[in-house]
Amino acid sequence: MTENQGGKRVTEATIQHRTIFVRFLLFQTKNADLPFLITYNEQKGGNILNKRLIAVEDLAQFTFAGNPVLSPDGTTAVYVVTKTDLHQNGYVSTLYITNDEQAPRPLTHAYQTDRLIKHHRPSFSADGTYVYYLSNQTGTDQVWRIRLSGGESEQVTKFEHGVEDYVLSPDRMHMVCRAINKDRQESENDDVTVITRLRYLQNGKGFVDQTGVLYFCSIKRKQQTRITKPNCDAKMPRFSLDGHTLYFLMTKSAPETSDFLFDVYSYHLSTETTTCIYQANGTLYDLAVSPDGRTVALAGTEDGEFSPKNIELLLLPSHGGTVHHITEHWNLSLGNFVSTDARFDAGNSLIAWTEDSQALICLVQDGAISGLKTVHLDGSCTTLFMKEKHVVTSFAMQNNVIAAIISTPLSTGELYFLGNNDSIRQNSFHNQSLFNQLDLNEPIAFTYKGADDWTIDGWVLLPPTRARKTGKIPIVLEIHGGPASAYGDSFHHEFQCLAAEGYAVVYTNPRGSRGYGSAFCAGCFNDWGRKDKEDILKGLDYVLDHFPECDRTHQYVTGGSYGGFMTNTIIGTTNRFRAAVTQRSICNLYNFYGTSDIGYYFLKRYFNGADLWDAEERLMQFSPIRNAPRVKTPICIIHSEQDHRCPIEQAEQWYVALRRLGVPARFVRINGENHELSRSGRPQNRFTRLHELINWFNRYCPKETSD
């Protein structure tokens, strides 16, 4: 029996929780007679094949797949595999290779006991004999290559400060590298830093003291020629198929007044001339040249540096001119904004041309999922792969073959080969043995009505039976960052750990989230902590109303970045939560303007042109610090010392204010980490963050909750 709750199917068995389903998608390989889908069924109070609860430290057991590329004939895939190295407290990555005849195996090996080696950004040579890649095994990232037939890797480049990106020429003899160019030292005193840039800080990098410069390199002769100016940042080099022209993005001539937007340039190798073919009015995320050389496809917007609008597919004549908006009227956005703490997939391109130059394959997000669509030049669109509970994080296409990394609610992401009509063939099983050990529940999706009667997506993850405390289930509300991000159908380690501690985890995509259209994404503009907060709390109320085993008297809340801002806002306007954990948060928007690496343009867009000198009161009205005297909720504040996105001074203000007012507060400062702590911080620090989060809630959650 099935009933419809808010437009999504929820089975009676799910509502009553009489049965827990744990599903593992298995591919029938040539070497193993395995069914396509196996379902393990546990009756209430039973045992699922002696499984165990997930633990915080299991994060170090995951293997992460990403960045697939295909050989020119489409028969062989190479992708990046990232693993945790607890001995060195970091991550290492290497390249794996696979085809229809063989299971994935390592292509490169470079483990060192004194350095975290990372091999990434693989690329096949035009004849398929070599795989090129970036590696830091000699200190800085340089281009290396290895023959598919075997042998040792060889170093191709030796740039002083390393290489951030590269592209191979069709003739196999050359490449263009984006090499790092350091700024000239302004002071002879090493203790002095002289700043002249507007955007002088960048999260994860610190002081910005470099640009990316493009060099044309001869692979055989080891010669290199600079193509772009050393004081201009250039990126995304792409060759035309005939190899005669290079296209790339470069900053405008006056970046201080143009908010660092990038224009599109062409460089003709025969004449060594550079031409600007498109002056951008918005952010560009990807660039691809059609095989016939007539068109440059762009993924981006024409709406300023930061925009709530969907990332569109824009077509530009290769000689320059006006862009044509192909997906202007879509309600979907190019890209994948489904967030998770269990992914190391940097991704490849958002767009790829078909061989006949008549269409593009596009990575597209649709609410909680992402997949691939074929967009034709006339604007018509067909779905290539868009499957419920599947999130495509990156893909590659060659010779009409598509390889993709796909995650699900019970998978961190594996390599798949895709075909027509949503056909899917799993090729890698890196985490299967681990997941076979774990007693995990799958989140239950629902929809509900938020503020203004808007339809909002939400999920509840219930604890496995063996993790439940006596009595009703305490409930944790999780709030995503962004706000132009989204939760969705990806595996989330933090949520599963909370469930293993006996909590039900509720999470939603309120207005402001990406993947639901431009109007929805802009729905919180000039309204932070108002209707978006109402959307979030209505989702929590929906779960409490429809899942009576959840405990109304034991509610907890947490979130990071914008989610931290919202956590601070919520506890300043309601006392319904027993405890809160705010992470990498904001409490004072006025200060955020000048201390964050994005504050000066981010706030200006989100708050209708607000500047420090004319909108102080408006910014402070939305700042949680104004409501500090109303806070009664015990709070743990977790913040990274080197966070330049939401600077730690925000946490310092919030902590001092609340402690001064007598609120129980704990301030956890994590050194050596930035805004990405929960996603890519050092393993031991990620463990600490999760233990602090769980322990704080456990402190205010009795072992036995009310019935």
Side-chain angles (χ1 to χ4, degrees):
M1 178 179 176
T2 301
E3 68 175 273
N4 188 290
Q5 295 183 0
K8 290 197 175 182
R9 293 183 301 165
V10 181
T11 65
E12 179 180 295
T14 299
I15 296 174
Q16 300 300 325
H17 317 302
R18 295 171 182 163
T19 305
I20 297 175
F21 295 101
V22 180
R23 295 177 178 175
F24 296 92
L25 188 65
L26 303 178
F27 168 57
Q28 186 170 350
T29 67
K30 295 183 178 180
N31 299 319
D33 186 17
L34 298 173
F36 183 73
L37 179 67
I38 296 178
T39 302
Y40 295 107
N41 188 336
E42 176 195 13
Q43 298 300 324
K44 188 174 182 179
N47 183 19
I48 305 179
L49 300 179
N50 297 317
K51 292 177 181 289
R52 64 174 176 84
L53 295 173
I54 195 171
V56 165
E57 284 72 20
D58 281 323
L59 180 65
Q61 304 302 315
F62 295 135
T63 296
F64 302 99
N67 197 192
V69 294
L70 284 165
S71 59
D73 61 5
T75 61
T76 303
V78 170
Y79 61 104
V80 179
V81 170
T82 301
K83 298 181 180 181
T84 300
D85 182 343
L86 283 179
H87 174 71
Q88 299 188 74
N89 196 21
Y91 309 95
V92 294
S93 58
T94 188
L95 304 185
Y96 272 57
I97 186 170
T98 183
N99 56 36
D100 281 341
E101 302 298 326
Q102 296 178 328
R105 61 179 175 82
L107 176 65
T108 61
H109 305 267
Y111 181 77
Q112 297 182 13
T113 57
D114 60 346
R115 182 182 299 152
L116 293 165
I117 301 300
K118 297 182 180 180
H119 296 170
H120 57 110
R121 280 285 289 112
S123 180
F124 277 91
S125 62
D127 61 358
T129 59
Y130 283 98
V131 171
Y132 288 74
Y133 60 98
L134 293 179
S135 173
N136 66 339
Q137 62 196 62
T138 56
T140 60
D141 268 347
Q142 302 290 342
V143 179
W144 291 67
R145 69 177 181 179
I146 186 171
R147 284 185 179 272
L148 261 68
S149 59
E152 296 294 324
S153 295
E154 61 175 311
Q155 186 172 344
V156 179
T157 64
K158 292 184 178 180
F159 285 94
E160 180 182 1
H161 300 296
V163 177
E164 288 191 333
D165 194 11
Y166 70 98
V167 63
L168 300 172
S169 66
D171 67 5
R172 299 177 293 164
M173 304 299 293
H174 302 88
M175 67 170 60
V176 169
C177 294
R178 182 178 191 254
I180 298 170
N181 180 68
K182 291 284 188 178
D183 292 350
R184 181 176 60 85
Q185 184 70 28
E186 292 285 343
S187 174
E188 295 181 359
N189 186 345
D190 291 339
D191 293 332
V192 174
T193 299
V194 178
I195 295 170
T196 59
R197 299 169 180 258
L198 171 59
R199 187 179 297 178
Y200 67 93
L201 280 177
Q202 184 175 350
N203 183 66
K205 292 186 177 180
F207 289 116
V208 177
D209 62 351
Q210 64 188 45
T211 54
V213 179
L214 300 185
Y215 287 85
F216 183 74
C217 307
S218 170
I219 297 174
K220 185 176 181 179
R221 297 179 180 178
K222 308 292 185 180
Q223 295 177 339
Q224 56 197 43
T225 303
R226 183 170 53 81
I227 295 175
T228 61
K229 300 176 182 179
N231 61 335
C232 291
D233 204 22
K235 62 182 181 179
M236 291 187 200
R238 305 284 192 269
F239 275 104
S240 60
L241 187 60
D242 61 15
H244 296 161
T245 308
L246 181 78
Y247 296 89
F248 59 91
L249 305 182
M250 190 164 64
T251 49
K252 294 178 180 292
S253 57
E256 303 293 353
T257 59
S258 61
D259 285 333
F260 291 81
L261 298 179
F262 285 74
D263 293 332
V264 182
Y265 286 80
S266 64
Y267 175 79
H268 296 279
L269 276 70
S270 59
T271 61
E272 298 183 353
T273 56
T274 302
T275 305
C276 179
I277 62 172
Y278 171 60
Q279 295 185 1
N281 298 309
T283 304
L284 301 178
Y285 297 87
D286 199 8
L287 181 156
V289 186
S290 63
D292 63 13
R294 296 179 179 179
T295 309
V296 176
L298 304 168
T301 71
E302 288 200 294
D303 189 40
E305 184 175 35
F306 174 79
S307 172
K309 290 189 176 180
N310 296 326
I311 299 174
E312 297 182 52
L313 178 59
L314 309 172
L315 298 184
L316 173 70
S318 59
H319 56 77
T322 303
V323 295
H324 180 39
H325 295 244
I326 295 294
T327 60
E328 184 176 10
H329 301 294
W330 272 22
N331 201 36
L332 308 178
S333 176
L334 268 62
N336 168 45
F337 295 87
V338 178
S339 63
T340 174
D341 63 351
R343 179 188 301 151
F344 273 90
D345 187 4
N348 298 326
S349 299
L350 303 184
I351 52 178
W353 283 94
T354 56
E355 292 181 357
D356 61 5
S357 299
Q358 296 303 303
L360 291 103
I361 309 301
C362 301
L363 177 62
V364 176
Q365 182 182 338
D366 184 2
I369 64 174
S370 63
L372 303 175
K373 288 185 177 289
T374 303
V375 183
H376 301 274
L377 299 188
D378 62 3
S380 61
C381 172
T382 56
T383 297
L384 181 61
F385 181 86
M386 187 72 70
K387 207 174 188 69
E388 188 175 335
K389 296 185 180 179
H390 287 69
V391 174
V392 177
T393 59
S394 63
F395 76 100
M397 183 178 70
Q398 286 288 348
N399 197 29
N400 295 319
V401 176
I402 294 178
I405 304 298
I406 302 177
S407 62
T408 70
L410 294 176
S411 167
T412 63
E414 298 283 358
L415 179 71
Y416 291 76
F417 287 98
L418 307 181
N420 295 325
N421 302 318
D422 275 357
S423 66
I424 178 173
R425 178 163 56 87
Q426 186 173 348
N427 190 270
S428 75
F429 299 87
H430 293 291
N431 295 294
Q432 180 175 309
S433 60
L434 174 61
F435 275 81
N436 284 346
Q437 303 171 30
L438 302 177
D439 185 359
L440 302 172
N441 272 354
E442 188 171 319
I444 301 168
F446 59 89
T447 58
Y448 64 98
K449 295 298 183 181
D452 300 324
D453 212 32
W454 284 20
T455 300
I456 309 294
D457 279 345
W459 295 262
V460 57
L461 175 63
L462 296 164
T465 300
R466 72 186 71 192
R468 296 187 183 181
K469 299 177 174 66
T470 303
K472 290 194 172 185
I473 304 171
I475 194 164
V476 174
L477 175 64
E478 289 266 6
I479 308 171
H480 71 61
S485 178
Y487 285 135
D489 289 326
S490 283
F491 176 82
H492 212 295
H493 177 245
E494 177 179 319
F495 297 176
Q496 292 288 351
C497 285
L498 284 166
E501 285 287 327
Y503 295 94
V505 183
V506 176
Y507 50 105
T508 67
N509 282 341
R511 66 193 63 209
S513 300
R514 182 77 76 174
Y516 299 89
S518 298
F520 192 94
C521 192
C524 65
F525 272 39
N526 208 36
D527 195 46
W528 277 26
R530 306 302 197 265
K531 290 182 179 179
D532 48 359
K533 182 187 74 173
E534 187 176 345
D535 289 345
I536 293 167
L537 294 180
K538 280 180 176 287
L540 177 59
D541 291 336
Y542 178 94
V543 171
L544 291 169
D545 290 341
H546 290 79
F547 295 82
E549 63 270 54
C550 292
D551 193 347
R552 292 180 179 274
T553 66
H554 291 86
Q555 301 177 48
Y556 306 85
V557 60
T558 186
S561 195
Y562 164 82
F565 165 90
M566 194 59 67
T567 299
N568 297 341
T569 297
I570 286 173
I571 64 172
T573 53
T574 177
N575 293 321
R576 67 185 286 179
F577 294 97
R578 289 240 174 173
V581 177
T582 186
Q583 307 174 63
R584 59 188 189 278
S585 73
I586 302 169
C587 73
N588 187 325
L589 292 170
Y590 190 81
N591 291 80
F592 180 80
Y593 182 103
T595 56
S596 165
D597 65 344
I598 64 171
Y600 64 92
Y601 73 84
F602 183 83
L603 287 186
K604 192 176 183 72
R605 189 62 186 268
Y606 261 114
F607 290 92
N608 293 354
D611 279 315
L612 294 184
W613 43 91
D614 61 12
E616 178 181 357
E617 181 57 28
R618 191 195 327 169
L619 292 174
M620 291 307 300
Q621 283 178 351
F622 291 99
S623 297
I625 198 79
R626 277 279 179 95
N627 287 327
R630 302 180 185 179
V631 176
K632 305 299 180 186
T633 307
I635 187 167
C636 178
I637 302 168
I638 302 176
H639 217 106
S640 297
E641 296 278 3
Q642 282 73 48
D643 189 338
H644 296 305
R645 186 62 38 86
C646 296
I648 198 168
E649 62 89 19
Q650 293 283 318
E652 292 166 343
Q653 288 188 63
W654 193 229
Y655 175 74
V656 170
L658 296 183
R659 287 290 300 197
R660 178 73 171 174
L661 292 164
V663 178
R666 178 179 176 88
F667 191 5
V668 181
R669 304 172 67 119
I670 301 183
N671 193 29
E673 301 293 350
N674 58 63
H675 199 65
E676 299 302 308
L677 166 64
S678 63
R679 294 177 281 258
S680 59
R682 286 176 289 183
Q684 296 295 347
N685 289 339
R686 294 176 74 181
F687 297 164
T688 296
R689 183 191 73 86
L690 286 169
H691 283 304
E692 289 285 349
L693 171 72
I694 293 169
N695 291 342
W696 187 255
F697 289 155
N698 286 347
R699 178 183 299 186
Y700 293 93
C701 183
K703 292 182 179 180
E704 295 186 3
T705 59
S706 59
D707 288 317

